[in-house]
Every structure is written in structure tokens, then in C-alpha cells.
Amino acid sequence: MTTNAPAKADSRAKKQGKSPIKVIIDTDPGIDDAFAVLMSLSCAPELRVLALTSSFGNVRTEKATENCKKLLRIYKSSGSRKGSEDEKGDEDDVVYVAEGSKKALNGKQKEHIADFVHGKDGFGDFEKDKEDLLEAKEDVEVYPGGSAKLMYDLAKTYPGEVTIICLATATNVVNAFREYEDLPKMLRSVVHLGGAYTVSGNVNPAAEANVYADAEAADELYGTHGVDIYAVGLDVTMNVRMTEENLIKMRDTKYVKGRETLTDEERQFLFNSSQFYMNYHIKSLNFRGVLQHDSVCVMTVIHPEMFEWTRARVRVATESFARGMVIMDKEGEKNWSFENAWTERPLMNVALTADFEAIEKALMERFI
Amino acid sequence: MTTNAPAKADSRAKKQGKSPIKVIIDTDPGIDDAFAVLMSLSCAPELRVLALTSSFGNVRTEKATENCKKLLRIYKSSGSRKGSEDEKGDEDDVVYVAEGSKKALNGKQKEHIADFVHGKDGFGDFEKDKEDLLEAKEDVEVYPGGSAKLMYDLAKTYPGEVTIICLATATNVVNAFREYEDLPKMLRSVVHLGGAYTVSGNVNPAAEANVYADAEAADELYGTHGVDIYAVGLDVTMNVRMTEENLIKMRDTKYVKGRETLTDEERQFLFNSSQFYMNYHIKSLNFRGVLQHDSVCVMTVIHPEMFEWTRARVRVATESFARGMVIMDKEGEKNWSFENAWTERPLMNVALTADFEAIEKALMERFI
């Protein structure tokens, strides 16, 4: 693949003395995905987003593809940034979009699409009367080869430099690894938002949603040798919250050139989307505000030092009511008397806890 | 059933102003079982041991029955106590022994009997050249009806008063509940030594040995309505240890009338047994000493206030590598969007943590 190398994004981060980390965001937007994607695109000079690949979970894959395009359009067309002559949103700042799998590895579609959390359109249904307003501007093309090919093409273009941030099921990454056996070793790392290690899940007591929705894929991803794998799950993300007060602050703050924050258009969109999502949190957790699962996952790439990483072997249960349960064996914790299903697994990095306050502060600085 | 009511044990505890709690100890001795059983018989006036029922795990059931009888003989024939005119060990202090199941609920025998932990004879093989020395004195009869009938008969004799302390798989208790449907409501409580909730298991990262060896039984026990169920697992018991130094102290201390401690004969037997068990801990945990899993479980009945009890719904995975994994849903923690496999389960009491120092101190006061 040849890319129109987005020189300006690079040069922008280089002003800060660092090369940005090249990322592919695998996502099923989803309101918390929207926060994470817009932050990555708009106010994370530490990252250079090469592509968005769509997956199922919060919405079905077709809708996720539409939503990826929509987020890109909101980002690119932000009047407030354009007015300020910001480099981001430039014509040659290419961000690819590719469509991923519609089904889990076992061939099944997801049983419950999370429209009770994110609304039917994935963005809180606030635009339901004018659904095609943003859809109309077909300025974002979908990469014809699909997500596996795009992941591989980008990894070949930037060997050893690309991190895949997987904010949905592990399906797309595993499909890419199955199709291109040399891909794992060509990546910088894979980060997965998933799992409930020391806490209850959110689908049921055993399972977190991203792992549950394709437990076979998560088990296969966590068993991949040759690539650094990071996972951050509910143990951490349940502790990073955005209050209604901060949502309102976000809406009312104005974009100022030179600050790494969202634009006015992005803020307004995220605020509107968040109302449906907040209602879910009021009902399920009695919390007036929203959780920031996906943005926390992006933060593991920007600020890995804010997380406490445990080296561990991890398996994912796939059967009966335990389906989606992540079960870890910590490095060197035990001297097992017999070989077990963990023995030959690679060590991966799991965030079981973190500096929650620091993460929240770092996020709010970009959102507000 | 008519019992020769052990009036003296009762009167002894009543001196302290309390009626002793009537317990049936379901056990697979096992060295840590030996500590727990001898403590319960010999130096726990808070308890009145009505019966020992045998189970498989550390040894096979037949051997467990023999070992229960052996522990009773050591207790009854302790010269140091008899010499001191202690009331315990009296002729009319009846302790029944009944044999339990040889197989798990699924009809299978345990794959690995834990002879690498407890020795072939369950007591560290230190008497292997004179195996029949204690066996010869056949003064303990085995209750002919088996463990289920004995549990039921005792519960009928003392309705609402009997606690079953299950130090092995849940098999015998579940078999009794299946055979006698009114039994759960006739008991004071059931305490199970089992599970690894927030820590890795000891069979493999998913599973603790007692739950693993009959996962179906544990799942069924934890789903029983109408009886108070308590579980204490590795989360607590891994933190209560007896050092080699204390083992030596135990051996060298002499019985003094009036102190609630083991007799000299009991100490010597436990010290000798412990050497094999300690070697296992040196190899597996690099710890010179022994863990006290079973005695900790008995302590939940004597000193429940030393444990932090979480009310929770618990399921046990039975399939594939997750087999034996306990998965809990805490009371009121979540407002689940959909019914799940925990929804209709009763709340039970799980000790996830405890005052480890206090438990250790309370145990050492009796052992030393």
C-alpha cells in the first residue's frame, strides 16, 4: 500500500520532540468509542491515527462503519479548528476506514446489540429525526480490502511501528492474524479494551462485553506469541468517570487555538450523544455521568506509566455461563504440580489497577 | 437415631457460659485436615464434634475413613490428657464416623489423589514401616448407613443446631441434600473450605482443589436455598501459615491441664506428619512451613468475626479449563440488563479476606 503520508500530523508532534505513535483504532462506535476516536484524532498529538476499522458490539458492523465515517467527518469539518488554522483536519491527513467482520469467530452474530446503552444509531439517537444530515456528505471512502488487509498493509508500510487499539471484540485482529501469519511480529503492540479480572463483568458476573461477544477471539488473541499484548478491562475503566457536571463544562467550553482539546463541534456532538448513555448509567449504576472505557484504553498508549501492568498468562472461558471469563496465571506466582491450559501461553500485560485520578485528569484536560 | 448424648462435653463448654456448636466434620485427611480435626476434638470447647464423615481428595475415601478412625484413636488414647483427668476423651463422648462417596457427582474418581502433598497414607508417610500399629486397635466403628444418613439422623436429633464443616469436595453434603430434601432447612449452616475468588487456584490458575475435584457438587451446594452457606477459600487460607519454627515449638511444648491445647501425643503425630507436607510447601511456594487451610475453615465457626463476609451469588464453572472456577455476583453490585445464570441463586457468605494475624494467633494458641 502506498499512503499519502500525513506529513503535517507528524511535524506537529515533532514540535513536541516526539514522533507520534502510529495507531489503528478498531472500534464499534458507540458513545465511549466516539470520545476515544475524536480525542485520538483531534487532541492527541502523541498519536497518529492511520485508520479506523469497524467492528460489532455497541452497534452492528455496518453501522459501525457508518459511524467511523461520521466521526471522521465531524473531525475533518470542525469549523472551529479550521478557523484557527490548526494543522489537523488537513486534506493530506489521510485516515483510512475499513470494514471488519460482522460475526464472531464462531460464525454467530452478537445476541444483544447494545442499543439499550448507546441508542439505535450508536450515538444516543439524538439526531434520529435528521439521520441523513451528516450521512449525506460522502467524503470518506471505505478501504476496499477490509480490515485484515488494511491492518497488514499499514504494518508493512511501517514495520514495527503500528499499534492496534482494539476497542471492541478481538475478532478483526484475530482474523488479520489468521490471514497474515507474519503480521503479529510486524506490529508494535496490540491493546485490547476487555475483561473483568478482579471485578464482576458488565454482561453478567463472569464477563465483560468485548470479551463475551467473541470469547474465542479473545482467547486466541491472548494466546498469540510474538507480539506485545496489553489488556485493560473493567478493573480499571469502571473507576474512570466523567460526571454530568463535566459533560456540561465540556459543552460550554470554547475551543482555543494552541490547546490540545476537542473542537466546539466535537464537544457538542459528544455532549448530545452522552445524554442517552448517561441515562443508562443512572439506571444501571445510579451514577449521573458516563464511564470512559474506550478513552481509558487509548490512554494506555499515551500514558502507559499511569497503569500498573501485571505480566500474566491469560485464558478466556468459552463455555456455558463462564463464557467470557478471563482467568489469569501471574508470572511465577505458582509452581504448578501439573501442566495446565496456561502453561504454553505467552505472557501478556494486564492493567489490574491504575492511577485513576491521573487518568481522569489527563482525559478531562482534553475534553474540557 | 438415638445418641449417647455426650453430656460432659456439653457441661465443659457450659462452664464458659456457652453451649458448644454441634458440628459434623466432612473430611479427607490429609495433614491440614488432621490439624483441624484434632483441634476440633481436643482443644475447641466451642465445638462439639458429633461425627466425622469421610470424603475423597487428599486421599481416596476408603483411606479417609481409616484416617478419620485413626485421628479419633489418637485423640481418645492421648495419655497426657487421660493422666490429667481431662473430661475430653471420655467413654461417653461419642463421635460417629461414616463413610462418604468414593466418586464425584459426575461418577468419576478423582484424577490426581494429592499424595504428592500429603503422602500415600495421607499423613506424610512417616509411619510407613509400622502402618498397622494404630490400625490394629479397632475401637472405632463405622456408622453403617453412610454419610448422608448420618448427617440426616444427627440433624433430626438436633434440629437447627448442626453445622456441617466440609473440608473436602461438596459431594457428601450434596448427596445428603439430594437424598433428604428437608435436610438443608434442618441445619444451622454449612461451611465449605473451597474456592479461589480473587487469587489463582492451587490446581491450576482457575481452580482450588476441593471445588475442582467435584465442580458440579460445589455448584449445586452453592445453589441450595434454605440453608446458610459459608465458604472460605484460598483468598484467606493462603495467608494463614505455620512456620517450621512453630512446628518445632509445637512438638516441644508439653500439655498442661487447664490449657486448651493439643496433647503431647497429638502434637507429636502432627509434627511428624507435617514434615512431608512442609517439603511440598518448600517446593511449591518456597515456604518453610505449612499452610493451615482446614483449621482456618474450622475457625470460621469458632471466630466468625475474624472474617470479612461478603454476601454473594456464586456459580462454579464445570467445563473445559475453567472447571472449578468460582464466579461471584455480589449483592446489589450491578443492575443487570438481562437475566443471567446467577439471577435465581441464593445469597451465600464468602470470606474474601480476614484478620489473618488474629486467626494465626488463635490457631497457634491451641497448637502450641
Side-chain angles (χ1 to χ4, degrees):
Chain A
M1 186 179 81
T2 51
T3 58
N4 297 322
K8 292 206 179 166
D10 260 2
S11 68
R12 184 179 185 223
K14 273 182 188 153
K15 278 184 208 160
Q16 311 197 351
K18 281 184 191 171
S19 293
I21 297 165
K22 297 176 182 73
V23 298
I24 297 168
I25 304 183
D26 189 52
T27 175
D28 57 337
I31 293 157
D32 49 343
D33 301 69
F35 274 89
V37 168
L38 288 177
M39 175 181 76
S40 302
L41 287 166
S42 179
C43 52
E46 301 89 344
L47 307 178
R48 180 176 143 201
V49 181
L50 301 177
L52 304 179
T53 53
S54 65
S55 190
F56 59 90
N58 295 326
V59 291
R60 300 214 177 273
T61 303
E62 299 88 332
K63 177 61 79 182
T65 309
E66 284 309 308
N67 286 356
C68 286
K69 290 159 66 177
K70 189 163 176 171
L71 290 173
L72 266 179
R73 280 195 294 271
I74 294 170
Y75 158 64
K76 289 195 173 192
S77 65
S78 276
S80 53
R81 187 191 297 105
K82 287 206 163 161
S84 71
E85 293 168 23
D86 195 293
E87 301 94 335
K88 280 228 169 179
D90 223 304
E91 290 297 299
D92 55 356
D93 185 5
V94 176
V95 180
Y96 294 89
V97 172
E99 187 153 83
S101 180
K102 297 175 176 64
K103 291 175 180 173
L105 291 191
N106 66 8
K108 291 183 189 161
Q109 283 222 340
K110 193 170 178 252
E111 202 176 337
H112 295 291
I113 283 294
D115 55 5
F116 54 99
V117 182
H118 298 274
K120 282 205 166 53
D121 71 355
F123 290 146
D125 291 338
F126 75 92
E127 286 178 318
K128 58 179 176 290
D129 297 330
K130 44 175 183 163
E131 179 129 0
D132 55 356
L133 196 75
L134 280 163
E135 305 290 343
K137 295 169 63 182
E138 272 303 334
D139 54 342
V140 181
E141 276 188 30
V142 175
Y143 193 74
S147 64
K149 180 150 192 342
L150 179 58
M151 286 174 182
Y152 188 60
D153 287 346
L154 288 168
K156 268 203 306 193
T157 308
Y158 305 107
E161 290 186 51
V162 177
T163 288
I164 300 177
I165 302 178
C166 176
L167 304 176
T169 66
T171 322
N172 288 344
V173 181
V174 167
N175 279 331
F177 286 180
R178 285 182 174 190
E179 195 164 344
Y180 304 99
E181 283 183 17
D182 52 339
L183 176 55
K185 292 193 179 168
M186 294 164 63
L187 294 171
R188 177 178 176 271
S189 60
V190 177
V191 184
H192 191 210
L193 173 70
Y197 289 82
T198 62
V199 298
S200 279
N202 52 3
V203 172
N204 61 43
E208 178 277 338
N210 284 347
V211 171
Y212 180 79
D214 196 344
E216 286 82 0
D219 191 49
E220 191 165 325
L221 174 66
Y222 301 165
T224 307
H225 288 261
V227 59
D228 275 344
I229 295 175
Y230 294 79
V232 58
L234 298 176
D235 313 73
V236 171
T237 65
M238 289 298 290
N239 295 292
V240 180
R241 299 182 173 200
M242 186 170 187
T243 58
E244 183 177 32
E245 197 188 337
N246 275 342
L247 284 169
I248 292 168
K249 256 195 214 169
M250 174 181 75
R251 181 194 60 191
D252 295 342
T253 303
K254 289 284 160 209
Y255 179 80
V256 180
K257 193 193 159 187
R259 276 193 62 206
E260 299 294 351
T261 64
L262 300 169
T263 63
D264 300 343
E265 294 81 355
E266 290 162 349
R267 291 172 208 269
Q268 190 62 52
F269 171 78
L270 291 173
F271 178 84
N272 290 347
S273 293
S274 293
Q275 301 310 298
F276 190 101
Y277 190 46
M278 181 169 73
N279 283 333
Y280 168 76
H281 288 118
I282 293 169
K283 269 182 283 177
S284 64
L285 295 170
N286 199 22
F287 168 63
R288 282 199 81 83
V290 294
L291 291 173
Q292 282 293 352
H293 306 288
D294 301 53
S295 298
V296 173
C297 186
V298 171
M299 270 293 155
T300 66
V301 181
I302 299 176
H303 283 301
E305 79 285 356
M306 290 180 182
F307 299 77
E308 199 175 310
W309 297 102
T310 299
R311 300 272 294 164
R313 296 173 174 85
V314 178
R315 298 244 29 185
V316 179
T318 55
E319 278 146 309
S320 186
F321 54 76
R323 182 178 176 79
M325 179 87 201
V326 285
I327 314 174
M328 71 190 289
D329 180 16
K330 292 182 193 172
E331 179 177 23
E333 196 192 75
K334 301 264 180 184
N335 211 341
W336 299 109
S337 300
F338 304 96
E339 281 205 2
N340 58 51
W342 287 255
T343 309
E344 300 294 327
R345 305 280 286 192
L347 287 163
M348 57 181 274
N349 308 284
V350 181
L352 296 179
T353 186
D355 185 342
F356 306 128
E357 270 182 52
I359 298 166
E360 209 169 280
K361 187 162 173 279
L363 286 176
M364 293 312 129
E365 276 172 3
R366 290 163 202 250
F367 293 159
I368 294 177
Chain B
M1 187 178 80
T2 49
T3 59
N4 297 322
K8 293 205 179 167
D10 260 2
S11 69
R12 184 180 187 224
K14 272 181 188 154
K15 279 184 209 160
Q16 313 196 351
K18 279 182 192 174
S19 292
I21 297 165
K22 297 177 182 72
V23 299
I24 298 168
I25 304 183
D26 189 51
T27 176
D28 57 336
I31 294 157
D32 50 342
D33 300 70
F35 274 89
V37 168
L38 288 177
M39 176 181 75
S40 302
L41 288 166
S42 179
C43 51
E46 301 89 345
L47 307 178
R48 180 176 143 202
V49 181
L50 301 177
L52 304 179
T53 52
S54 66
S55 190
F56 59 89
N58 295 327
V59 291
R60 300 214 177 274
T61 303
E62 298 88 333
K63 177 63 79 182
T65 309
E66 284 309 308
N67 287 355
C68 285
K69 289 159 67 178
K70 188 163 176 172
L71 291 173
L72 265 180
R73 279 195 295 271
I74 294 170
Y75 158 64
K76 289 197 172 192
S77 66
S78 276
S80 53
R81 186 189 300 104
K82 287 206 163 163
S84 71
E85 294 168 23
D86 194 294
E87 302 93 334
K88 280 227 170 180
D90 223 305
E91 290 299 298
D92 56 356
D93 185 5
V94 176
V95 180
Y96 294 89
V97 172
E99 187 153 83
S101 179
K102 297 176 176 64
K103 291 176 180 171
L105 292 190
N106 66 9
K108 291 182 189 161
Q109 282 222 340
K110 193 170 178 252
E111 202 176 336
H112 295 292
I113 282 294
D115 54 5
F116 54 100
V117 182
H118 297 274
K120 282 204 166 53
D121 71 355
F123 290 147
D125 291 339
F126 75 93
E127 287 179 316
K128 57 178 174 290
D129 298 329
K130 43 175 182 162
E131 180 127 1
D132 56 356
L133 196 75
L134 280 163
E135 305 290 342
K137 296 169 65 181
E138 271 304 333
D139 56 341
V140 181
E141 275 187 31
V142 174
Y143 194 74
S147 64
K149 180 150 191 342
L150 180 57
M151 287 174 181
Y152 189 60
D153 286 345
L154 288 168
K156 267 204 305 192
T157 307
Y158 306 107
E161 290 187 52
V162 177
T163 287
I164 300 176
I165 302 179
C166 175
L167 304 176
T169 66
T171 321
N172 288 345
V173 182
V174 168
N175 278 331
F177 287 180
R178 285 182 175 189
E179 194 165 346
Y180 305 98
E181 283 183 17
D182 51 339
L183 176 55
K185 290 192 181 169
M186 294 164 62
L187 294 170
R188 177 178 176 269
S189 60
V190 177
V191 185
H192 191 210
L193 173 70
Y197 288 82
T198 62
V199 298
S200 279
N202 53 3
V203 173
N204 61 43
E208 177 277 336
N210 283 348
V211 171
Y212 180 80
D214 196 343
E216 286 81 1
D219 191 48
E220 191 164 325
L221 175 65
Y222 301 165
T224 307
H225 288 261
V227 58
D228 275 344
I229 295 175
Y230 295 79
V232 57
L234 297 176
D235 313 73
V236 171
T237 65
M238 289 298 290
N239 295 292
V240 181
R241 300 182 174 201
M242 185 170 188
T243 58
E244 184 177 31
E245 197 188 338
N246 275 341
L247 284 169
I248 292 168
K249 254 193 218 172
M250 174 180 76
R251 182 194 58 190
D252 295 343
T253 304
K254 290 283 159 210
Y255 180 79
V256 178
K257 193 194 159 187
R259 276 194 62 207
E260 298 294 351
T261 63
L262 299 170
T263 63
D264 300 343
E265 293 82 355
E266 289 162 349
R267 290 173 210 268
Q268 189 64 53
F269 172 78
L270 290 173
F271 178 83
N272 290 347
S273 293
S274 293
Q275 302 309 300
F276 189 102
Y277 190 46
M278 182 169 73
N279 283 334
Y280 169 75
H281 288 118
I282 293 169
K283 270 182 281 177
S284 65
L285 294 171
N286 200 24
F287 168 62
R288 281 198 81 83
V290 294
L291 291 174
Q292 282 293 353
H293 305 289
D294 301 54
S295 298
V296 173
C297 187
V298 172
M299 271 292 155
T300 66
V301 181
I302 299 176
H303 282 301
E305 78 286 356
M306 290 181 182
F307 298 78
E308 199 175 309
W309 298 101
T310 299
R311 299 272 294 164
R313 295 173 174 85
V314 178
R315 298 244 28 186
V316 179
T318 55
E319 279 146 309
S320 187
F321 54 77
R323 181 177 177 81
M325 179 88 202
V326 285
I327 314 174
M328 72 189 288
D329 180 16
K330 293 182 193 172
E331 179 178 23
E333 196 191 76
K334 301 265 178 182
N335 211 341
W336 299 108
S337 300
F338 304 95
E339 280 204 3
N340 58 50
W342 287 255
T343 310
E344 300 294 328
R345 304 281 285 193
L347 287 164
M348 57 181 273
N349 308 285
V350 181
L352 296 178
T353 187
D355 185 343
F356 306 128
E357 269 182 53
I359 298 167
E360 209 168 279
K361 187 162 173 279
L363 287 176
M364 293 312 128
E365 277 171 3
R366 289 164 203 250
F367 293 158
I368 295 178

